[in-house]
């Protein structure tokens, strides 16, 4: 993703209301496949007061989280990967 494209207006954000808990759980299931193959564990920690819905570009948010966590899996050889959301 290129933040400069967003800032310069060359790409648009498609904002919509998204169930944040469902999005995070879906990503957790996806990432766990990679962590289990490497003998790692993936932990998703959600704050108890985490809001249910958020207005965001779900495609871009999903892409960012998957890229971020995919790199964590790629470069972690032992231990845990933890995603904390507050």
């Amino acid at each position: 993703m290129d933040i400069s494209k967003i800032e310069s207006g060359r790409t648009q954000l498609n904002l919509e209301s998204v169930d944040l808990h469902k999005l995070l759980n879906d990503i957790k299931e996806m990432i766990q496949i990679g962590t289990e193959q490497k003998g790692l564990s993936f932990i998703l920690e959600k704050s108890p007061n985490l809001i249910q819905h958020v207005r965001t570009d779900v495609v871009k948010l999903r892409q960012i989280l998957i890229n971020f966590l995919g790199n964590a899996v790629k470069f972690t050889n032992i231990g845990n990967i933890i995603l904390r959301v507050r």
Side-chain angles (χ1 to χ4, degrees), residues 17 22 24 32 48 57 69 85:
S17 180
K22 180 176 181 342
L24 293 170
Q32 278 182 321
D57 186 319
L69 293 168
V85 185

Side-chain angles (χ1 to χ4, degrees), residues 22-49:
K22 180 176 181 342
L23 173 67
L24 293 170
N25 289 333
D26 290 348
I27 290 173
K28 177 184 176 183
E29 289 179 18
M30 186 184 317
I31 296 301
Q32 278 182 321
I33 295 168
T35 56
E36 289 172 358
Q37 290 174 347
K38 288 187 72 172
L40 304 170
S41 62
F42 179 74
I43 301 164
L44 172 60
E45 292 181 2
K46 294 186 280 188
S47 173
N49 59 348

Side-chain angles (χ1 to χ4, degrees), residues 61-80:
L61 178 58
R62 181 186 306 272
Q63 179 184 9
I64 290 166
L65 289 172
I66 290 171
N67 287 346
F68 175 71
L69 293 168
N71 283 337
V73 172
K74 181 178 179 180
F75 295 108
T76 302
N77 295 318
I78 58 172
N80 305 313

